Amino acid sequence: MKKDLIFLGIETSCDETAAAVVKKDSKGKVKILSNIVSSQENIHKKYGGVVPDLAARAHADKIDQIIKKAIQKSKVHFDDLDGIATTAGPGLLVCLMVGMTAGKTLASFLKKPFYGTNHLEGHALTMGLIKPLQFPYLLLLISGGHSQFLSIEGIGKYKRLGTTIDDALGEAFDKTAKILGIEFPGGPKIETYAKKGNGKAYDLPKPILYKSGCNLSFAGLKTAVLNVSKKLKTKQDKYNLAASFQSTVNEILKIKCQKAIEMFLERHRSIKDKNFVIAGGVASNLSIRKNLKKIALEQKFNLHFPPINLCTDNAAMIAYAGLLNFEKGKKSNLKMFSQPRWPLDQKAPYMKGPGLIL
Ligand code: KG4
Ligand code: ZN
């Protein structure tokens, strides 16, 4: 008979120090027993972006307390754990090393299996924490560091259909916010500004809209925002630029999602249960959610969003990805290194700079 599986997850890839405990019971039911996240927003605010050394120091200061809290809240004991999963990449090297050192030390001390886990795999499988979802499904991952369409075909089976050739979408939101004088991290504030503005006020570019499949590009849009911003006079102008930026993003996503759906269906011609999952921090944006809902409905796909606290970085998704890999028989690897660059689809071509094929 199958037994319950309990995993501790640790996440320190960027500016969130997080630990969580996740359980999958013998009937396959998944439960988050604890999910502790400590954000470093206040530390990085005055610099307008994440400062790697300060982030690493803050992780090192807090990680033991965060793990302790996650264990206490979960009401399990260290001895009850079946394994420990820690984000090994992609992310900031100095930050990843803090979580990896903590996770490896705990795992070797407790004699538990250790899994250096891919942060993107965490985002890709998050939806399973909420409800069972059959493979394959289409994933749009939109975060501060990544913007990708992936066909999720099983644990460890990920096919990238498209990616950004320059900036990530969250980065474009954050940079637009910075241009408008909004404090870091400004992405969520753009949404608030946009509500008060006219989305048609400025005509902004949509790079590679009908080119390069479902690959994405946001650098030109950001530059256009910078150019327009020099002419702004009133607060209302700022609201209008935020609204125009957001509605341009929605138009880009509409065309690119249609293309990604087409590519996904070409790969899975006989698929009946068509599911589209949106993950990553930008998936918290309600206007983007509304837009994607409409597209999915038109294309007869069921659309799934994780709740907002699981869209942004957290350790529950890391614990869960580690647990699923353990269940699948993947070997524990205490010798694993932190990997700042670690694509989910290892065979996908590098799409930035000279690797770009339009
Ligand atoms: O997934 P996440 O927490 O961290 C990364 O792995 O990058 O995503 C953070 C990103 C940031 O760029 C943030 O500005 C963006 O998600 N974000 C938003 C919203 N909430 C978070 N962007 C637009 N609208 C939002 N409501
Ligand atoms: Zn993330």
Side-chain angles (χ1 to χ4, degrees), residues 11 13-16 119-120 123 141-146 169-174 184-191 246 279-286 288 308 311-314 317:
E11 155 66 39
S13 65
C14 190
D15 60 343
E16 256 99 28
H119 180 88
L120 305 177
H123 279 303
L141 170 62
I142 35 179
S143 71
H146 303 273
L169 185 52
E171 207 178 336
F173 265 92
D174 293 335
F184 173 85
K189 268 272 179 67
I190 290 290
E191 191 178 356
Q246 194 172 273
V282 185
S284 328
N285 184 297
L286 297 181
I288 290 181
I308 287 177
C311 278
T312 47
D313 287 350
N314 65 86
M317 66 180 193

Side-chain angles (χ1 to χ4, degrees), residues 165 207-209 211-213 215-217 256 351 354-358:
I165 59 166
I208 67 165
L209 191 61
K211 275 200 269 184
S212 194
N215 287 316
L216 298 152
S217 166
K256 293 297 183 177
M351 285 300 285
L356 169 62
I357 311 146
L358 279 182

Side-chain angles (χ1 to χ4, degrees), residues 49-61:
V50 177
V51 183
D53 285 7
L54 296 182
R57 191 195 293 168
H59 286 312
D61 281 350

Side-chain angles (χ1 to χ4, degrees), residues 211-238:
K211 275 200 269 184
S212 194
C214 63
N215 287 316
L216 298 152
S217 166
F218 297 108
L221 173 58
K222 176 191 68 190
T223 310
V225 167
L226 179 65
N227 290 337
V228 173
S229 73
K230 290 173 186 152
K231 298 173 209 142
L232 302 186
K233 293 198 177 71
T234 64
K235 189 93 186 181
Q236 186 58 46
D237 290 343
K238 285 192 177 183

Side-chain angles (χ1 to χ4, degrees), residues 57-102:
R57 191 195 293 168
H59 286 312
D61 281 350
K62 286 231 165 117
I63 191 68
D64 55 330
Q65 288 306 314
I66 299 292
I67 293 173
K68 201 168 156 192
K69 259 195 201 166
I71 291 291
Q72 276 171 351
K73 179 117 197 276
S74 72
K75 303 220 162 51
V76 302
H77 298 285
F78 279 116
D79 281 346
D80 302 328
L81 297 174
D82 292 286
I84 295 173
T86 304
T87 304
L92 299 166
L93 180 65
V94 283
C95 295
L96 292 166
M97 285 167 66
V98 177
M100 285 289 275
T101 305

